[in-house]
Amino acid sequence: MSATIGLDIGGTKIAGGLVSPTGTILARGRRVTPAHDPDRIAVEVADLVRELSDGADVSGVGVACAGFIDATGSTVLFAPNLAWRDEPLKRRLQATIDLPVIIDNDANAAAWGEFRFGAARDVDDMVLITVGTGIGGGVVTGGHLLRGAYGIAAELGHMRVVPDGIRCGCGNRGCWEMYASGNALVREARELVRSGTPHAARLSELCAADPDKLSGHDITSAAAQGDPAAVELLADLGRWIGEGAASVTAILDPELIVLGGGVADAGALLLDPAQAAFRRQLTGRGHRPEARFAVASLGNDAGIIGAAALVAEAVG
């Protein structure tokens, strides 16, 4: 079987890989995203595809991008970090690439990567929750990606969990990602440092008493070293993740919940409180099978591998 190319187009970079039929990345490439120039994005993508295709038997190109993709998989309806509004991305790329092209949401592609080759490869029903700057989501049910009537299902981060809560970048208030994300973790840690409490002494030391310099990596590192404030912050984040996951489970009933994204690197410091909160909030707890939790295994490659797998399956 021939290889396929998976591309992950983000606001700052285009990451790509030549992927084998078994999900192994055989070659990698990267370009800077010209975020405000759709024509130039297509040129950079075509150049990266040529680089990755050199000397290889390639049957198609799968493209993952952050945004709303229409139900036909042809148009990016909206992308928050790129100049794409009703962008006919599939047509634009196929005009420059002499290969079949499919496009999908980046979280969908990541979920498919974990489903086919990662932490969820042994189940038919799973939810991927990527905890990074915000929350991304992908759902596989009965072995199929859940896309919805208009192609934009599984925007889990924008599930409303606090009426009239913190304003989200989407314009609404109280979205899940405002409480269960890397941004939320850093926001709470910075507020703790600003309070001047001795409890935040280690965090204050890590940012030289300038809260604006405190990063998520600082917090997870401090927690791994046993700092009580950092451990509590991660536990609070885990609680929000677990409670939201219980609400998602009430609707979708997955067998497995996969946690991905940079914050998931905290491991048990995040996973244990997330599972505990999930069990407390799960509808019918004690009288139903309970979804398992797992940490994503493909890391930042999930979108590339998933996009490549989607196009491999589309072209047969």
Side-chain angles (χ1 to χ4, degrees):
M1 295 178 65
S2 57
T4 51
I5 290 172
L7 303 176
D8 192 348
I9 303 178
T12 60
K13 70 178 184 300
I14 304 168
L18 178 69
V19 182
S20 78
T22 58
T24 300
I25 296 182
L26 306 172
R28 297 177 183 271
R30 179 174 292 203
R31 295 290 186 276
V32 174
T33 305
H36 302 294
D37 188 342
D39 290 330
R40 189 64 193 168
I41 291 174
V43 170
E44 293 293 339
V45 165
D47 186 57
L48 181 53
V49 167
R50 282 191 291 271
E51 175 188 320
L52 292 169
S53 299
D54 188 29
D57 178 19
V58 177
S59 60
V61 178
V63 179
C65 49
F68 292 172
I69 313 299
D70 77 331
T72 68
S74 301
T75 301
V76 183
L77 302 174
F78 170 75
N81 299 313
L82 295 165
W84 286 339
R85 303 293 184 271
D86 296 318
E87 167 66 19
L89 183 62
K90 182 173 181 175
R91 177 164 54 84
R92 191 188 291 272
L93 293 181
Q94 286 189 322
T96 60
I97 300 170
D98 188 24
L99 286 166
V101 174
I102 66 153
I103 63 172
D104 211 323
N105 171 268
D106 58 346
N108 279 352
W112 195 249
E114 291 290 343
F115 171 70
R116 290 284 284 109
F117 302 111
R121 60 187 176 275
D122 297 323
V123 304
D124 288 330
D125 296 85
M126 59 85 73
V127 173
L128 172 69
I129 301 169
T130 57
V131 186
T133 302
I135 282 187
V139 175
V140 176
T141 179
H144 299 280
L145 268 173
L146 177 66
R147 292 192 173 91
Y150 305 107
I152 51 179
E155 286 292 324
L156 303 182
H158 298 290
M159 177 176 65
R160 196 173 183 218
V161 296
V162 179
D164 300 319
I166 298 169
R167 178 79 69 182
C168 178
C170 75
N172 291 331
R173 289 186 179 274
C175 290
W176 189 22
E177 70 175 40
M178 298 310 297
Y179 302 89
S181 64
N183 275 358
L185 176 68
V186 171
R187 181 190 69 233
E188 293 300 312
R190 287 175 176 175
E191 288 184 8
L192 193 64
V193 171
R194 288 191 184 98
S195 74
T197 174
H199 188 52
R202 177 57 180 157
L203 294 175
S204 181
E205 179 183 328
L206 287 171
C207 64
D210 183 353
D212 290 337
K213 293 181 179 179
L214 194 64
S215 69
H217 177 72
D218 292 333
I219 301 161
T220 55
S221 294
Q225 295 166 12
D227 177 63
V231 169
E232 287 177 16
L233 286 163
L234 279 173
D236 286 343
L237 177 61
R239 176 177 60 83
W240 278 110
I241 291 170
E243 291 182 355
S247 294
V248 171
T249 296
I251 300 169
L252 297 172
D253 190 28
E255 181 178 348
L256 184 68
I257 296 169
V258 179
L259 292 183
V263 178
D265 292 341
L269 290 167
L270 184 73
L271 201 60
D272 288 352
Q275 289 177 294
F278 174 81
R279 292 188 184 106
R280 286 195 301 270
Q281 298 298 319
L282 184 62
T283 302
R285 56 192 176 276
H287 302 283
R288 58 174 293 169
E290 185 178 306
R292 295 179 289 113
F293 278 65
V295 175
S297 63
L298 300 182
N300 292 330
D301 292 333
I304 293 172
I305 294 171
L310 285 167
V311 74
E313 290 151 25
V315 300

